[in-house]
Amino acid sequence: MSARDWIDKDFYRELGVSSTASDADIKKAYRKLARELHPDANPGNAEAEARFKAVSEAYGVLGDPEKRKQYDEARRLFGSGGLRGFGTGGGGFDVGDLFGTGGQGAAGGGFSGLGDILGGLFGRRGQGSAAGRPRRGADVETEVRIDFLEAVKGATVPLRLSSPSTCGTCNGNGARPGTSPRTCPTCNGAGLINRSQGAFAFSEPCRDCRGTGRIVDDPCPECGGDGISTKSRTLTVRIPAGVEDDQKIRLAEQGEPGQNGGHAGDLYVRVHVTPHSVFGRAGNDITISVPVTFQELALGSTLTVPTLDGKVSLRVAPGTANGRVFRVRGKGVVKREGATGDLLVTVQAAVPAKLNDEAKAALEAYAQATAGEDPRPELTALLKQRSD
């Protein structure tokens, strides 16, 4: 894709956000559209597949802070006809110099650095064309949901993806097997041609090779000459023990394929963890709340408490306060690097909703036996001061 093509595209409009949107808003918009337009959710829908590719391309630029900065600067300088109207008195001005494509006679030093500004977007640095240079593929993000125990202990899960990938028939060169692309004779592989109009000289994408610098005479029957085709593939993703909710796992070079022999992008798998009905988590510690009776707290008892892989016995001393937290060492999350959390057990007094006559009579007798005791002396003293 040529520099002019990138500038003419409105990636903000593709994602449905404003040019002042935050990184979080851009990511949120992309994730929403990617879910709606994903080929798995729209089988056989060519329009949805095209939109999915356009949205992925837009996020590949706007999702990268450095590329977004370069894109915004390029749009500011050249958008809305910004390529027109530059002159140098009576001399010619080659817009190719702005893109680092090597025209004759730059317009002074004011534009000398623009090739670098655009280089991150269009694959150019300084002089020369990037039509045949390797370019890294875009990063891709997807999601997977696992249960609580899988997150704690680790798991291996299959992940099915439908995404652009290097064509397996032509190995990405776009030509039918047994043939090869040839260098475009019109632009000599540069991807750009220069033309003059009055006092101005312009560089524009070569129409014969569409800016690629290559011509495929006999296109690959699978990808039609693009070198990239949309495929469904299944990856095995290893979820490490101790992964947390909303954490991302990077799979190197499993994203979109590169161009001209460039490395593929990375695949980022965002993990969502389904909460457990009994256990909770605080960092590497596992938490659990155990209901107990008043007499167990007052008289003491021995509790049997479940753990992630068994059970433990816990001694509750007489007079234990409600809400106390007991720590059982080494029964939490065991991470690969060796850090091990604990099991935190909170005892909570269970208040019965109804009492039978015998229990009610016993409690009333207890209340009479302890009538002289004040369970909240600090509050009583404070209230007395307020009333004096």
Side-chain angles (χ1 to χ4, degrees):
M1 182 178 295
S2 70
R4 180 73 260 182
D5 292 338
W6 276 60
I7 293 172
D8 284 341
K9 287 194 174 186
D10 190 340
F11 291 140
Y12 290 104
R13 184 173 62 183
E14 289 288 356
L15 295 180
V17 297
S18 70
S19 59
T20 59
S22 65
D23 292 343
D25 289 338
I26 288 175
K27 180 180 293 186
K28 181 178 179 181
Y30 164 70
R31 292 174 61 187
K32 179 177 182 294
L33 290 171
R35 283 194 298 267
E36 294 174 355
L37 300 171
H38 198 280
D40 285 350
N42 302 273
N45 189 332
E47 182 179 352
E49 182 177 338
R51 283 278 292 125
F52 178 74
K53 290 182 179 179
V55 166
S56 298
E57 180 188 25
Y59 184 67
V61 174
L62 301 184
D64 184 315
E66 185 61 27
K67 287 185 179 180
R68 181 184 180 185
K69 179 181 178 181
Q70 294 167 341
Y71 173 72
D72 288 342
E73 181 67 11
R75 295 269 296 178
R76 183 183 69 82
L77 290 172
F78 304 117
S80 303
L83 283 174
R84 307 181 185 90
F86 289 100
T88 57
F93 176 68
D94 188 353
V95 180
D97 291 333
L98 297 181
F99 295 94
T101 54
Q104 298 295 323
F111 297 98
S112 61
L114 294 183
D116 285 341
I117 292 177
L118 301 176
L121 288 175
F122 312 124
R124 301 187 176 90
R125 289 290 178 187
Q127 300 297 319
S129 169
R133 295 181 185 176
R135 287 192 289 177
R136 183 180 182 275
D139 293 337
V140 178
E141 182 175 319
T142 189
E143 299 175 334
V144 66
R145 180 168 290 278
I146 60 176
D147 64 38
F148 184 87
L149 293 180
E150 287 177 324
V152 170
K153 296 179 177 295
T156 300
V157 297
L159 185 64
R160 185 172 179 271
L161 298 172
S162 291
S163 60
S165 56
T166 301
C167 177
T169 301
C170 66
N171 294 321
N173 66 14
R176 184 183 293 273
T179 67
S180 301
R182 59 186 174 90
T183 301
C184 176
T186 304
C187 64
N188 292 321
L192 295 170
I193 58 174
N194 297 325
R195 67 181 180 87
S196 299
Q197 183 175 339
F200 297 92
F202 297 90
S203 293
E204 63 182 11
C206 176
R207 295 182 180 180
D208 291 340
C209 64
R210 296 181 298 175
T212 64
R214 305 179 307 155
I215 291 181
V216 177
D217 295 313
D218 192 1
C220 171
E222 180 179 342
C223 65
D226 291 334
I228 295 175
S229 60
T230 299
K231 296 181 179 179
S232 293
R233 53 184 173 136
T234 300
L235 298 176
T236 300
V237 182
R238 173 61 184 168
I239 308 295
V243 67
E244 299 188 34
D245 184 52
D246 210 38
Q247 183 175 332
K248 290 197 293 187
I249 298 173
R250 173 178 170 267
L251 300 180
E253 297 195 11
Q254 293 296 330
E256 290 193 6
Q259 298 182 18
N260 301 323
H263 292 284
D266 297 333
L267 173 64
Y268 289 89
V269 181
R270 186 182 295 273
V271 180
H272 297 289
V273 181
T274 301
H276 196 275
S277 59
V278 173
F279 296 108
R281 184 174 173 184
N284 289 339
D285 295 331
I286 298 298
T287 62
I288 185 173
S289 181
V290 179
V292 294
T293 63
F294 170 75
Q295 57 268 29
E296 286 177 316
L297 293 177
L299 302 177
S301 64
T302 298
L303 302 177
T304 300
V305 179
T307 67
L308 294 175
D309 52 8
K311 59 185 179 179
V312 294
S313 294
L314 189 66
R315 175 61 183 168
V316 178
T320 296
N322 179 49
R324 180 178 172 182
V325 178
F326 293 84
R327 182 180 295 271
V328 182
R329 300 287 181 182
K331 292 297 183 179
V333 178
V334 180
K335 287 198 170 183
R336 183 170 53 187
E337 58 268 24
T340 303
D342 302 326
L343 177 66
L344 305 182
V345 182
T346 303
V347 290
Q348 295 285 353
V351 180
K354 293 183 179 180
L355 295 173
N356 57 36
D357 292 341
E358 185 178 357
K360 184 177 181 181
L363 282 178
E364 289 175 345
Y366 172 78
Q368 291 177 359
T370 58
E373 299 179 6
D374 186 355
R376 41 188 176 273
E378 295 85 359
L379 297 182
T380 301
L382 181 59
L383 291 172
K384 185 177 181 181
Q385 292 176 3
R386 298 287 172 84
S387 60
D388 291 342

